[in-house]
Amino acid sequence: MSSSRSVRKLEVVSPVPADIDIANSVEPFHISEIAKDLNLSPNHYDLYGKYKAKVLLSVLDELESSDNGYYVVVGGITPTPLGEGKSTTTVGLCQALGAYLDRKVVTCLRQPSQGPTFGIKGGAAGGGYSQVIPMDEFNLHLTGDIHAITAANNLLAAAIDTRIFHESTQSDKALFNRLCPPNKEGKRKFSDIMFRRLKKLDITKTQPEDLTPEEVKKFARLDIDPNSITWRRVMDVNDRFLRKITVGQGPEEKGMVRETGFDISVASEIMAVLALTTSLADMRGRLGKMVIGNSKAGEPITADDLGVGGALTVLMKDAINPTLMQTLEGTPVLVHAGPFANIAHGNSSIVADKIALKLVGPQGFVVTEAGFGADIGTEKFMNIKCRYSDLRPQCAVIVATIRALKMHGGGPEVVAGKPLDHAYLNENVPLVEAGCVNLARHIINTKAYGVNVVVAVNKFSTDTEAEMNAVMNAAMAAGDLMLVSDMDTFSFITFPCIRRVLEGLYSHTNDQKYVDLGVAVQRACASGIQQLKYLYPLDISIKEKIEAIAKSYGASGVEYTEQAEKQIEMYTKQGFSGLPICMAKTQYSFSHNAAEKGAPSGFILPIRDVRASIGAGFIYPLVGTMSTMPGLPTRPCFYEIDLDTATGKVIGLS
C-alpha cells in the first residue's frame, strides 16, 4: 500500500495461540496513522481513544466527484453452526491485497453483538493471524453504536405505550390541549414534527386554533390497536426469559396490561435503518417512517405520528459515522452496523462502503462481508443493499469448507460445543462429492447476478488433497455452466484455516495461497464490470417477489398461511408492495427446514407470516419460526472471559 508507514511484520508461532493472545501480542498503530494512509485529515474524523475513530460523513461530500475502487462481497455456502470463516477470509484477503499486493484496500465489517460474544459463537473479529484489532474493543461496546440503537428503540417503545395510556384517559380536547399547550404569551403552535402528521392527514392549516373538532380528533388521537403493535423492546444480551413479557402491570397504569417481548438489539429495525441509510437526512426520514403498528381503522402508525422521529435521530447522530480500525497487519477497516442476517439483511452499512470506495480510489479494493450463506446474505446484498446504494460489485467470493460440504453430503450433525465426528477428521471423498451440490447452487445463483465469482476453500489440517480436488472439480463444473470455461473470470483458490477450530496448521497472509486469493480477486474485478441483474423487479406483487426468491432456493412453490395472506393484502393496500423482500429464513438450509442439507429441491416453502420494516425499506416474510432473541447455552463463552488485573488486558475472548 502506498504509504510512508511500513507494513507490520507478524511473528507467527506454532501451535497457533488463542485469538485474543494473538491480538494482544501486537501493538496497534495509532489510528491517526491508519487515517493518514487513507489521506484523511484530522478534520475528517473524531478520535475514540488511540485505536478507534469515527469517520465523518463530510468525507463523502468532499470526495463526491472521485472515482470508486473495486467492490467485492464475501458470502459463503450454507454453513455449519461453527461458521465457515467468512470474516477471517474477508480480513485475510484484505491483508493480502494491502500488505503484500500493494493495493489500497478497506475492509468493511459489521459490528458484533454482545449476544454471540458472550454466548456460543464468540466474537466476529476474524481469527488467528487475520483479525481486526484491538480485538476486545471491536467485540465489546466499540464506539457505542449498538447502545445508541438500544436507547432509540426503547424510547420509541416507551412512546407507544405512553400514547395508548394517555389517549385512554383523556378526551379529544384535553389530549389536543396537552399536545399543543399555550406558551408564555398564551399562544399555541405546532412543533415542527407535528407538521409531518398534519401533511399526512391532508390538513393544511398551520395554527392549532384553526382546526375543527373533527380535525382535532384526527390529529390528536392515534387510536393505536394494541393487537397490531409489532415494535418490541431490545437489549444487547441473550436473555431467553425476555422473549415474551407483559407490560402495564403497575397500579398507576390502571390495568393496561399488554403482552410484548424483547428482541436482541441487532434485530431492531433501527439497526437495519442504520445499515441502509445513505445520509443524515435519509436516516431522519427512515426513522420517522418506521411503522409500529396500525390504528383501529387499519392505518399505519409511524414514529413521526408519535412525535419521536427527531429525538431518535438525535440519539443516532453519532452512530451514523462508521468506525475506523485496523487489521493485524495494519490495513484499514471500517466497522459499521450489524443487522440480524435472518430477520434483516445481514450486511454492514452503505455509508461505510461508499466512503471506503472513494478513499481507495480507482484500482483500490473495498471488501465487504454478507452474513450467513449466499442464499441469505449475498441475495439480500444484491437485491436490497445494492438497490438502495446504487453500487455495483465486480466480484463475489464464496467461502466453503470441506467440513460443511461433508455435512451437506450426508455427514453426521455438527453441533457447536461438541467434538467433531470421525467423518470430519478423516478423508471421505464420497461425502465431499455429494455435498458439492450445495456449493454448485451457490455459484450458479451468485453468477446469475452478473458478477464474477471466486471460490475460496477454507482448508483445515485434516482436509486431504483428494477432498480438495473433488471440490475443485465440482466448482469448475458449476462455473462452466455460466462461464463456458472462461478461466479469467472464475478462479478456485484454497487457503489454510486460521481459526482455532482444529489444532495444527496455521498461516497468515504471507502464505502464497493468500496472495493467490488476492490475485484471483484482482483478476475477477479487472475482467470487466458486469451489469448487475436483480432477482426480481420492484413493480411486481409481493407474492411474485417472494416466489422469485423461493425459486432460487430450489422450491417448486410457496404456501401462505391465512395470517400471511392477510398481511400481504394489508401492506399492498397501505402502498408498501413496491418494497424489496427480505426473507426471514434459517441459515442452515436452502429450504425452511434446517435439517435439509445439500441442495434440496421440489419443496413447498411455507410463509408463516409477513411483516414490514417500512423505515428500513423492506417487507420480510417469516419462513418457519424465527427467534429474534437468542438464548444462552449451558456453558456460555463468558466462562472464559476475564480481565488480567495486572495488565488491564482482556483475556479469554475467542
Side-chain angles (χ1 to χ4, degrees), residues 22-23 39-40 47 50 83 143-144 147 150 215 238 288 321 361 373-374 433 488 502 506 514 582:
I22 294 173
N39 296 319
L40 291 170
L47 289 172
K50 295 187 292 183
T143 47
H147 299 318
T150 303
E215 290 170 334
N238 291 0
N321 299 314
E433 290 176 334
D488 285 334
L502 299 171
Y506 69 93
Y514 267 99
C582 186

Side-chain angles (χ1 to χ4, degrees), residues 370-488:
F372 290 145
D375 58 314
I376 295 181
T378 303
E379 183 270 310
K380 295 173 182 180
F381 172 86
M382 301 292 184
N383 291 304
I384 300 176
K385 185 176 179 180
C386 287
R387 269 197 165 101
Y388 286 121
S389 69
D390 203 31
L391 297 173
R392 302 291 180 264
Q394 288 79 44
C395 174
V397 177
I398 300 177
V399 179
T401 61
I402 297 293
R403 175 183 66 203
L405 293 172
K406 286 181 176 179
M407 179 189 72
H408 288 295
E413 185 180 7
V414 176
V415 180
K418 291 186 178 180
L420 287 169
D421 186 89
H422 180 270
Y424 298 106
L425 304 176
N426 295 274
E427 182 175 283
N428 192 321
V429 174
L431 270 186
V432 176
E433 290 176 334
C436 281
V437 294
N438 186 271
L439 172 61
R441 181 176 289 176
H442 282 297
I443 293 171
I444 293 167
N445 284 356
T446 306
K447 290 296 302 179
Y449 294 111
V451 300
N452 298 320
V453 173
V454 172
V455 174
V457 177
N458 195 359
K459 185 177 183 295
F460 298 135
S461 59
T462 51
D463 300 336
T464 69
E465 185 177 354
E467 290 173 332
M468 299 303 297
N469 287 336
V471 183
M472 181 173 66
N473 292 334
M476 295 284 286
D480 287 348
L481 292 175
M482 306 303 297
L483 293 167
V484 196
S485 300
D486 183 357
M487 289 302 293
D488 285 334

